Amino acid sequence: MQNLTYNLKRTVGYIVGFILFYEPFMFFNQIASTFITDTSFSSIHVPCARIPLANIVTGEWLATSTISLIFCLLLAVTSLWFGPLFCGKLCPTGAFSELLGSLLPDKYKIDWVKLVPVLPLRYGFLIGFLFSIWLGFGIPCTYCNYYSFEIFINLFLTEYFLNTLSSLIATFFLANVFLGLFTKGGRGYCLFICPVGTYNSLFHIFGRFVPGAFAMQVRKNACIGCTKCAQNCPMRAITMHERQATIDRRLCIICGKCAHGCPKQAICYQSNLAKEKK
Ligand code: SF4
Ligand code: SF4
Protein backbone atom coordinates (compact mmCIF):
# COMPACT_ATOMS: atom_id res chain seq x y z
CA MET A 1 0.00 0.00 0.00
CA GLN A 2 2.88 2.36 0.88
CA ASN A 3 4.48 1.53 -2.47
CA LEU A 4 1.27 2.30 -4.30
CA THR A 5 0.86 5.68 -2.56
CA TYR A 6 4.49 6.61 -3.22
CA ASN A 7 4.34 5.63 -6.90
CA LEU A 8 1.00 7.35 -7.32
CA LYS A 9 2.37 10.59 -5.85
CA ARG A 10 5.39 10.49 -8.15
CA THR A 11 3.24 9.75 -11.19
CA VAL A 12 0.90 12.65 -10.41
CA GLY A 13 3.95 14.94 -10.08
CA TYR A 14 5.25 13.94 -13.51
CA ILE A 15 1.82 14.35 -15.10
CA VAL A 16 1.65 17.86 -13.60
CA GLY A 17 5.14 18.50 -15.03
CA PHE A 18 4.00 17.35 -18.44
CA ILE A 19 0.92 19.54 -18.40
CA LEU A 20 2.94 22.55 -17.24
CA PHE A 21 5.85 22.38 -19.65
CA TYR A 22 5.06 20.23 -22.68
CA GLU A 23 3.03 20.67 -25.80
CA PRO A 24 0.13 20.59 -26.42
CA PHE A 25 -0.61 22.02 -22.91
CA MET A 26 2.27 24.25 -21.72
CA PHE A 27 0.25 25.72 -18.85
CA PHE A 28 3.38 27.31 -17.38
CA ASN A 29 3.67 29.56 -20.44
CA GLN A 30 -0.02 30.34 -20.32
CA ILE A 31 -0.02 31.16 -16.59
CA ALA A 32 3.10 33.32 -16.93
CA SER A 33 1.60 35.12 -19.93
CA THR A 34 -1.37 36.30 -17.86
CA PHE A 35 1.02 38.28 -15.62
CA ILE A 36 3.61 39.48 -18.11
CA THR A 37 3.71 40.46 -21.73
CA ASP A 38 5.88 38.05 -23.63
CA THR A 39 5.84 38.09 -27.37
CA SER A 40 8.12 35.07 -27.85
CA PHE A 41 6.67 32.01 -29.56
CA SER A 42 5.15 29.46 -27.22
CA SER A 43 6.95 26.13 -27.21
CA ILE A 44 8.85 23.74 -24.99
CA HIS A 45 12.02 25.77 -25.70
CA VAL A 46 10.68 28.79 -23.83
CA PRO A 47 10.63 27.37 -20.30
CA CYS A 48 14.05 25.74 -20.74
CA ALA A 49 17.13 26.88 -18.84
CA ARG A 50 19.37 25.98 -21.81
CA ILE A 51 18.32 29.09 -23.71
CA PRO A 52 19.05 31.70 -21.00
CA LEU A 53 22.32 29.92 -20.17
CA ALA A 54 23.33 30.09 -23.81
CA ASN A 55 22.33 33.74 -24.07
CA ILE A 56 24.37 34.63 -20.99
CA VAL A 57 27.42 32.96 -22.53
CA THR A 58 27.02 34.80 -25.83
CA GLY A 59 26.27 38.11 -24.08
CA GLU A 60 22.76 38.20 -25.57
CA TRP A 61 20.84 37.67 -22.37
CA LEU A 62 18.73 40.78 -22.99
CA ALA A 63 17.30 38.91 -25.98
CA THR A 64 16.04 36.12 -23.72
CA SER A 65 12.28 35.96 -23.37
CA THR A 66 10.87 37.02 -20.01
CA ILE A 67 9.28 33.61 -19.46
CA SER A 68 12.64 31.91 -20.03
CA LEU A 69 14.33 34.20 -17.52
CA ILE A 70 11.57 33.67 -14.95
CA PHE A 71 11.80 29.90 -15.34
CA CYS A 72 15.59 29.94 -15.06
CA LEU A 73 15.38 32.07 -11.93
CA LEU A 74 12.68 29.84 -10.43
CA LEU A 75 14.85 26.77 -11.00
CA ALA A 76 17.84 28.47 -9.35
CA VAL A 77 15.90 29.64 -6.28
CA THR A 78 14.00 26.40 -5.72
CA SER A 79 17.16 24.30 -6.22
CA LEU A 80 19.07 26.46 -3.77
CA TRP A 81 16.45 26.12 -1.05
CA PHE A 82 14.79 22.81 -1.75
CA GLY A 83 17.13 20.89 -4.09
CA PRO A 84 16.53 19.85 -7.72
CA LEU A 85 12.81 19.23 -7.22
CA PHE A 86 12.16 19.86 -10.90
CA CYS A 87 14.31 16.83 -11.82
CA GLY A 88 13.07 14.50 -9.09
CA LYS A 89 9.40 15.44 -8.90
CA LEU A 90 8.29 17.08 -12.15
CA CYS A 91 10.41 16.21 -15.20
CA PRO A 92 8.55 13.46 -17.11
CA THR A 93 11.52 12.93 -19.45
CA GLY A 94 13.76 11.76 -16.61
CA ALA A 95 10.89 9.75 -15.12
CA PHE A 96 10.35 7.94 -18.42
CA SER A 97 13.96 6.78 -18.74
CA GLU A 98 13.93 5.83 -15.03
CA LEU A 99 10.83 3.75 -15.66
CA LEU A 100 12.54 1.97 -18.56
CA GLY A 101 15.57 1.38 -16.34
CA SER A 102 13.39 -0.54 -13.89
CA LEU A 103 12.19 -3.05 -16.48
CA LEU A 104 15.28 -5.24 -16.87
CA PRO A 105 17.11 -7.29 -14.24
CA ASP A 106 20.34 -5.64 -13.01
CA LYS A 107 22.55 -8.19 -14.75
CA TYR A 108 21.63 -6.68 -18.13
CA LYS A 109 22.34 -3.10 -17.06
CA ILE A 110 25.46 -0.96 -16.92
CA ASP A 111 26.32 0.57 -13.57
CA TRP A 112 28.17 3.66 -14.79
CA VAL A 113 29.44 4.69 -11.37
CA LYS A 114 31.63 1.59 -11.39
CA LEU A 115 33.03 2.25 -14.85
CA VAL A 116 33.55 5.97 -15.34
CA PRO A 117 34.13 9.09 -13.21
CA VAL A 118 30.54 10.30 -13.11
CA LEU A 119 31.05 13.71 -11.51
CA PRO A 120 33.78 15.00 -13.87
CA LEU A 121 31.71 13.83 -16.83
CA ARG A 122 28.51 15.38 -15.48
CA TYR A 123 29.97 18.79 -14.72
CA GLY A 124 32.42 18.60 -17.61
CA PHE A 125 29.51 18.19 -20.01
CA LEU A 126 27.90 21.40 -18.72
CA ILE A 127 31.19 23.26 -19.19
CA GLY A 128 31.55 21.75 -22.68
CA PHE A 129 27.96 22.73 -23.53
CA LEU A 130 28.57 26.36 -22.50
CA PHE A 131 31.99 26.44 -24.15
CA SER A 132 30.62 25.13 -27.45
CA ILE A 133 28.01 27.89 -27.45
CA TRP A 134 30.73 30.46 -26.71
CA LEU A 135 32.64 29.09 -29.70
CA GLY A 136 29.57 29.69 -31.81
CA PHE A 137 28.17 26.18 -32.26
CA GLY A 138 24.65 27.23 -31.27
CA ILE A 139 22.24 25.57 -28.84
CA PRO A 140 22.06 21.88 -29.68
CA CYS A 141 18.31 21.37 -29.12
CA THR A 142 18.42 18.57 -31.67
CA TYR A 143 20.42 16.54 -29.13
CA CYS A 144 18.08 17.24 -26.21
CA ASN A 145 16.15 14.34 -24.75
CA TYR A 146 13.68 16.79 -23.17
CA TYR A 147 12.72 17.92 -26.68
CA SER A 148 12.85 14.48 -28.32
CA PHE A 149 10.62 13.06 -25.56
CA GLU A 150 8.02 15.75 -26.25
CA ILE A 151 8.03 14.95 -29.95
CA PHE A 152 7.55 11.23 -29.34
CA ILE A 153 4.77 11.77 -26.80
CA ASN A 154 3.02 14.15 -29.16
CA LEU A 155 3.11 11.49 -31.80
CA PHE A 156 0.70 9.53 -29.59
CA LEU A 157 -1.29 12.48 -28.30
CA THR A 158 -1.78 14.49 -31.47
CA GLU A 159 -0.24 12.35 -34.23
CA TYR A 160 2.01 15.34 -34.89
CA PHE A 161 5.38 14.04 -35.98
CA LEU A 162 6.64 16.67 -38.34
CA ASN A 163 10.18 18.05 -38.45
CA THR A 164 11.58 15.12 -36.56
CA LEU A 165 15.25 15.11 -37.30
CA SER A 166 17.31 11.97 -37.36
CA SER A 167 19.45 13.47 -34.55
CA LEU A 168 16.34 13.70 -32.33
CA ILE A 169 15.46 10.08 -33.04
CA ALA A 170 19.04 9.07 -32.25
CA THR A 171 18.92 11.12 -29.04
CA PHE A 172 15.66 9.50 -27.99
CA PHE A 173 17.09 6.02 -28.36
CA LEU A 174 20.46 6.88 -26.84
CA ALA A 175 18.84 8.51 -23.81
CA ASN A 176 16.05 6.03 -23.27
CA VAL A 177 17.44 2.72 -24.45
CA PHE A 178 21.20 2.88 -23.92
CA LEU A 179 21.17 5.32 -20.98
CA GLY A 180 17.72 4.29 -19.72
CA LEU A 181 16.71 0.66 -20.27
CA PHE A 182 20.28 -0.65 -20.10
CA THR A 183 21.53 1.66 -17.35
CA LYS A 184 21.25 0.92 -13.64
CA GLY A 185 18.85 3.49 -12.21
CA GLY A 186 17.71 4.43 -15.72
CA ARG A 187 18.84 8.04 -15.45
CA GLY A 188 22.01 7.99 -17.55
CA TYR A 189 20.93 11.05 -19.54
CA CYS A 190 20.21 12.98 -16.31
CA LEU A 191 23.58 11.86 -14.91
CA PHE A 192 25.77 12.83 -17.84
CA ILE A 193 24.09 14.97 -20.46
CA CYS A 194 21.26 17.18 -19.19
CA PRO A 195 22.61 20.74 -18.71
CA VAL A 196 19.45 21.80 -16.90
CA GLY A 197 19.80 19.02 -14.31
CA THR A 198 23.43 19.89 -13.70
CA TYR A 199 22.51 23.58 -13.42
CA ASN A 200 19.95 22.64 -10.73
CA SER A 201 22.50 20.50 -8.90
CA LEU A 202 24.98 23.39 -8.78
CA PHE A 203 22.47 25.47 -6.83
CA HIS A 204 21.73 22.50 -4.58
CA ILE A 205 25.45 22.28 -3.79
CA PHE A 206 25.48 25.95 -2.73
CA GLY A 207 22.35 25.30 -0.66
CA ARG A 208 24.65 23.65 1.88
CA PHE A 209 25.68 27.16 2.95
CA VAL A 210 22.16 28.60 3.12
CA PRO A 211 20.58 28.43 6.59
CA GLY A 212 17.28 26.56 6.42
CA ALA A 213 17.88 24.98 2.98
CA PHE A 214 16.57 21.46 2.49
CA ALA A 215 18.31 18.24 1.42
CA MET A 216 18.05 14.47 1.85
CA GLN A 217 19.77 13.57 5.12
CA VAL A 218 20.83 10.23 6.60
CA ARG A 219 20.38 9.78 10.34
CA LYS A 220 23.62 7.98 11.05
CA ASN A 221 22.48 6.43 14.31
CA ALA A 222 19.47 4.84 12.59
CA CYS A 223 21.24 3.47 9.48
CA ILE A 224 22.07 -0.25 9.68
CA GLY A 225 24.06 -0.34 6.45
CA CYS A 226 21.70 -2.62 4.55
CA THR A 227 22.61 -0.85 1.21
CA LYS A 228 19.00 -0.89 0.03
CA CYS A 229 18.99 2.86 -0.59
CA ALA A 230 22.24 2.69 -2.58
CA GLN A 231 20.76 -0.05 -4.77
CA ASN A 232 17.50 1.85 -5.31
CA CYS A 233 18.89 5.32 -6.03
CA PRO A 234 18.23 6.15 -9.71
CA MET A 235 21.03 8.74 -9.73
CA ARG A 236 23.53 6.41 -8.03
CA ALA A 237 24.05 9.20 -5.49
CA ILE A 238 24.47 6.96 -2.43
CA THR A 239 27.68 5.27 -1.36
CA MET A 240 28.42 3.19 1.72
CA HIS A 241 31.22 4.06 4.13
CA GLU A 242 31.78 1.81 7.14
CA ARG A 243 28.24 0.44 6.81
CA GLN A 244 26.72 3.90 6.73
CA ALA A 245 24.90 5.45 3.78
CA THR A 246 26.19 8.79 2.47
CA ILE A 247 24.24 10.90 -0.02
CA ASP A 248 26.13 12.96 -2.59
CA ARG A 249 24.14 16.16 -3.13
CA ARG A 250 26.02 16.80 -6.39
CA LEU A 251 23.95 13.95 -7.87
CA CYS A 252 20.81 13.74 -5.70
CA ILE A 253 17.57 14.92 -7.36
CA ILE A 254 15.31 14.61 -4.26
CA CYS A 255 13.18 11.85 -5.75
CA GLY A 256 12.71 10.37 -2.27
CA LYS A 257 13.14 6.76 -3.42
CA CYS A 258 15.85 6.13 -0.81
CA ALA A 259 13.73 7.43 2.07
CA HIS A 260 10.71 5.49 0.88
CA GLY A 261 12.59 2.17 0.72
CA CYS A 262 14.66 2.47 3.91
CA PRO A 263 13.58 -0.19 6.42
CA LYS A 264 14.73 1.97 9.35
CA GLN A 265 13.36 5.34 8.20
CA ALA A 266 16.94 6.53 8.42
CA ILE A 267 16.65 8.96 5.51
CA CYS A 268 14.54 12.08 5.52
CA TYR A 269 14.14 15.30 3.61
CA GLN A 270 14.81 18.10 6.05
CA SER A 271 16.40 21.51 6.48
CA ASN A 272 20.00 21.89 7.60
CA LEU A 273 18.75 23.74 10.71
CA ALA A 274 16.75 20.68 11.77
CA LYS A 275 19.93 18.64 11.48
CA GLU A 276 21.84 21.06 13.71
CA LYS A 277 19.22 20.76 16.44
CA LYS A 278 19.92 17.01 16.89
S1 SF4 B 1 18.29 1.79 3.36
FE1 SF4 B 1 18.34 2.89 5.33
S2 SF4 B 1 19.28 1.47 6.76
FE2 SF4 B 1 19.73 0.68 4.69
S3 SF4 B 1 21.75 1.60 4.23
FE3 SF4 B 1 20.19 3.01 3.42
S4 SF4 B 1 19.88 4.50 5.08
FE4 SF4 B 1 20.94 2.75 5.96
S1 SF4 C 1 19.77 9.99 -2.88
FE1 SF4 C 1 17.61 9.46 -2.57
S2 SF4 C 1 16.46 11.30 -3.11
FE2 SF4 C 1 18.56 11.53 -3.94
S3 SF4 C 1 18.42 10.77 -6.05
FE3 SF4 C 1 19.05 9.04 -4.77
S4 SF4 C 1 17.11 8.00 -4.20
FE4 SF4 C 1 16.57 10.04 -4.98
Side-chain angles (χ1 to χ4, degrees), residues 216 229 232-238 247 251-259 267:
M216 300 304 295
C229 54
N232 284 343
C233 175
M235 288 296 283
R236 319 298 292 127
I238 303 180
I247 296 175
L251 296 173
C252 175
I253 55 169
I254 319 286
C255 68
K257 211 167 174 179
C258 51
I267 302 182

Side-chain angles (χ1 to χ4, degrees), residues 10-236:
R10 283 195 81 191
T11 307
V12 168
Y14 295 127
I15 291 172
V16 169
F18 188 84
I19 290 170
L20 279 174
F21 303 113
Y22 285 67
E23 288 193 61
F25 309 104
M26 287 190 303
F27 281 181
F28 179 84
N29 291 26
Q30 292 182 35
I31 294 165
S33 301
T34 59
F35 297 103
I36 51 165
T37 309
D38 191 307
T39 53
S40 60
F41 69 107
S42 185
S43 84
I44 191 171
H45 305 286
V46 175
C48 176
R50 280 171 171 240
I51 313 284
L53 282 176
N55 287 347
I56 288 167
V57 171
T58 56
E60 295 168 0
W61 64 275
L62 279 177
T64 311
S65 82
T66 317
I67 293 179
S68 280
L69 283 175
I70 289 173
F71 184 67
C72 211
L73 200 65
L74 265 178
L75 281 184
V77 173
T78 51
S79 297
L80 189 71
W81 282 94
F82 303 108
L85 295 178
F86 175 80
C87 305
K89 309 274 190 211
L90 284 176
C91 178
T93 304
F96 180 65
S97 68
E98 184 185 326
L99 175 72
L100 291 179
S102 66
L103 299 181
L104 286 181
D106 277 356
K107 63 181 176 182
Y108 298 116
K109 292 185 271 191
I110 305 166
D111 193 358
W112 290 106
V113 288
K114 292 182 180 161
L115 296 178
V116 295
V118 170
L119 283 169
L121 286 173
R122 175 173 170 78
Y123 289 90
F125 190 90
L126 179 64
I127 293 167
F129 168 75
L130 297 175
F131 195 63
S132 68
I133 291 165
W134 185 70
L135 287 176
F137 285 109
I139 309 161
C141 289
T142 46
Y143 300 100
C144 173
N145 189 34
Y146 196 65
Y147 182 29
S148 74
F149 178 76
E150 185 204 56
I151 284 180
F152 274 81
I153 290 294
N154 271 280
L155 172 67
F156 295 105
L157 288 182
T158 63
E159 295 181 9
Y160 173 76
F161 199 54
L162 291 178
N163 300 325
T164 301
L165 303 170
S166 55
S167 60
L168 276 171
I169 297 171
T171 300
F172 185 82
F173 283 98
L174 171 79
N176 295 291
V177 179
F178 186 54
L179 293 172
L181 184 67
F182 290 107
T183 287
K184 188 162 167 64
R187 285 209 180 230
Y189 182 86
C190 311
L191 261 185
F192 296 119
I193 304 177
C194 182
V196 179
T198 313
Y199 167 83
N200 290 339
S201 289
L202 279 175
F203 285 95
H204 188 39
I205 293 168
F206 289 120
R208 181 190 293 277
F209 307 106
V210 177
F214 283 71
M216 300 304 295
Q217 315 264 0
V218 180
R219 291 189 294 127
K220 298 291 180 193
N221 51 358
C223 174
I224 54 167
C226 70
T227 78
K228 203 171 168 188
C229 54
Q231 293 303 319
N232 284 343
C233 175
M235 288 296 283
R236 319 298 292 127

